[in-house]
């Protein structure tokens, strides 16, 4: 078979895969002879430099909004555990969850459809779905969004119910529980990356991160949690029985990081 024939069949196979995943509406145009897939990224990806480090071949970086979605810090971050950057309850990275009335600021970019398998592998602990978006200038379209999954679905659909596969991907770093949990706190270094990325994107983007991102309980905003952690700790007699300590027994922030975050929150 000629190179062109092989490439054509590969493109056809990727197109079939995209449609099977419900991503047909996120396909557009042709780049170098193959379709492009529009992806909606969030968290640190709203900074173009960060997005290009993660997806070097991306095209047409821009920002937009996905309606009725928010961020949830409820997924155990295996990569941060493996790097020694997560411990205790501070294990969570952000996922995206449907939530009426919330607006999710996203980075939008296109990538060659041939990169879909690698993208799916990288985000395999998340659910891929197709969502409508609106760009700042009013243009509308659909994009692939990797959002909240469940532990049971991940174990069944991604690991095929195989405990050895689960151990290789998750268990050797995190043997003690489910990967989606409502009781976690965000990984500190990850929070800083997200805050810095949204500062680059502007005040409105930063406000969106702080007010449309929640802990796993779905109620406590990132702004509220950071305020708790950065305020001077209450004396025991003044702290309510149900109030969590402002950051746990030990603060995860250096003094420079505390000052940076206090400035972001307007606490200084």
């Amino acid at each position: 078979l000629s190179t062109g024939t092989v490439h054509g069949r590969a493109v056809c196979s990727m197109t079939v895969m995209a449609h099977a995943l419900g991503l047909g509406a996120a396909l557009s145009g042709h780049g170098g002879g193959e379709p492009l897939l529009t992806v909606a990224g969030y968290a640190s990806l709203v900074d173009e430099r960060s997005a290009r480090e993660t997806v070097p071949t991306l095209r047409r970086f821009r920002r937009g909004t996905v309606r009725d979605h928010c961020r949830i810090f409820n997924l155990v971050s295996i990569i941060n555990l493996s790097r020694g950057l997560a411990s205790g309850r501070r294990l969570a990275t952000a996922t995206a969850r449907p939530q009426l009335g919330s607006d999710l600021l996203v980075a939008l970019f296109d990538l060659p459809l041939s990169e879909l398998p690698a993208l799916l592998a990288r985000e395999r602990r998340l659910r891929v779905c197709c969502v409508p978006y609106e760009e700042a200038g009013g243009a509308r379209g659909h994009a692939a969004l990797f959002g909240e999954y469940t532990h049971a679905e991940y174990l069944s659909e991604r690991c095929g119910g195989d405990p050895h596969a689960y151990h290789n991907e998750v268990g050797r770093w995190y043997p003690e529980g489910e990967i989606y949990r409502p009781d976690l706190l965000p990984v500190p270094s990850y929070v800083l990356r997200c805050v810095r990325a949204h500062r680059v994107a502007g005040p409105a983007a930063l406000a969106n991160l702080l007010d449309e991102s929640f802990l796993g309980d779905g109620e406590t905003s990132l702004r509220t949690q950071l305020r708790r952690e950065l305020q001077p700790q209450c004396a025991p007699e003044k702290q309510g029985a149900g109030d969590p300590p402002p950051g746990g027994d030990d603060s995860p922030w250096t003094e420079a990081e505390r000052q940076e975050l206090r400035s972001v929150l307007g606490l200084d």
Side-chain angles (χ1 to χ4, degrees):
L1 295 176
S2 68
T3 301
T5 300
V6 172
H7 176 73
R9 289 185 176 180
V11 169
C12 181
S13 175
M14 292 300 99
T15 302
V16 170
M17 176 189 290
H19 281 277
L21 292 169
L23 302 178
L27 299 179
S28 64
H30 286 75
E34 69 176 279
L36 298 174
L37 177 70
T38 300
V39 176
Y42 49 95
S44 64
L45 294 184
V46 300
D47 176 9
E48 184 172 1
R49 183 175 64 177
S50 177
R52 289 191 180 279
E53 288 175 354
T54 304
V55 189
T57 58
L58 70 81
R59 309 176 190 184
R60 295 185 61 232
F61 180 92
R62 66 266 193 211
R63 297 188 182 96
T65 300
V66 173
R67 306 291 181 193
D68 295 325
H69 281 72
C70 67
R71 300 170 204 82
I72 297 287
F73 287 93
N74 65 344
L75 173 60
V76 173
S77 179
I78 301 303
I79 189 169
N80 281 302
L81 274 171
S82 68
R83 293 174 176 174
L85 299 175
S87 62
R89 287 178 58 214
R90 298 182 183 278
L91 305 177
T93 188
T95 66
R97 171 187 291 180
Q99 178 162 294
L100 288 175
S102 289
D103 291 338
L104 179 65
L105 178 91
V106 296
L108 298 163
F109 51 84
D110 303 331
L111 73 163
L113 185 57
S114 58
E115 297 193 19
L116 177 58
L119 184 63
L120 292 171
R122 186 167 63 243
E123 307 293 356
R124 62 188 277 108
R125 285 181 281 279
L126 297 169
R127 183 194 312 279
V128 61
C129 55
C130 191
V131 296
Y133 67 79
E134 180 177 348
E135 295 180 30
R140 298 171 183 267
H142 287 78
L145 177 76
F146 289 85
E148 184 181 39
Y149 211 22
T150 68
H151 179 86
E153 288 172 312
Y154 168 71
L155 183 59
S156 173
E157 299 175 9
R158 299 291 192 258
C159 299
D162 182 354
H164 297 291
Y166 180 82
H167 175 77
N168 288 335
E169 294 185 14
V170 172
R172 53 180 168 156
W173 292 289
Y174 175 71
E176 64 263 35
E178 298 193 352
I179 61 171
Y180 277 92
R181 289 172 46 184
D183 62 331
L184 298 178
L185 297 174
V187 175
S189 59
Y190 177 76
V191 169
L192 281 172
R193 288 201 308 274
C194 291
V195 166
R196 289 164 179 167
H198 284 74
R199 289 188 85 174
V200 170
L206 182 58
N208 184 266
L209 172 71
L210 295 172
D211 298 323
E212 301 292 349
S213 303
F214 302 90
L215 301 189
D217 61 11
E219 298 179 359
T220 306
S221 71
L222 180 60
R223 184 189 297 274
T224 297
Q225 179 61 24
L226 289 176
R227 281 181 177 272
R228 286 176 179 170
E229 296 186 359
L230 296 169
Q231 295 283 13
Q233 186 154 359
C234 301
E237 63 272 13
K238 294 183 179 180
Q239 187 171 331
D243 293 340
D249 296 332
D250 300 304
S251 173
W253 313 110
T254 66
E255 185 57 34
E257 290 167 347
R258 287 178 61 85
Q259 291 178 2
E260 179 181 355
L261 290 171
R262 286 181 62 86
S263 174
V264 164
L265 294 171
L267 297 177
D268 290 332

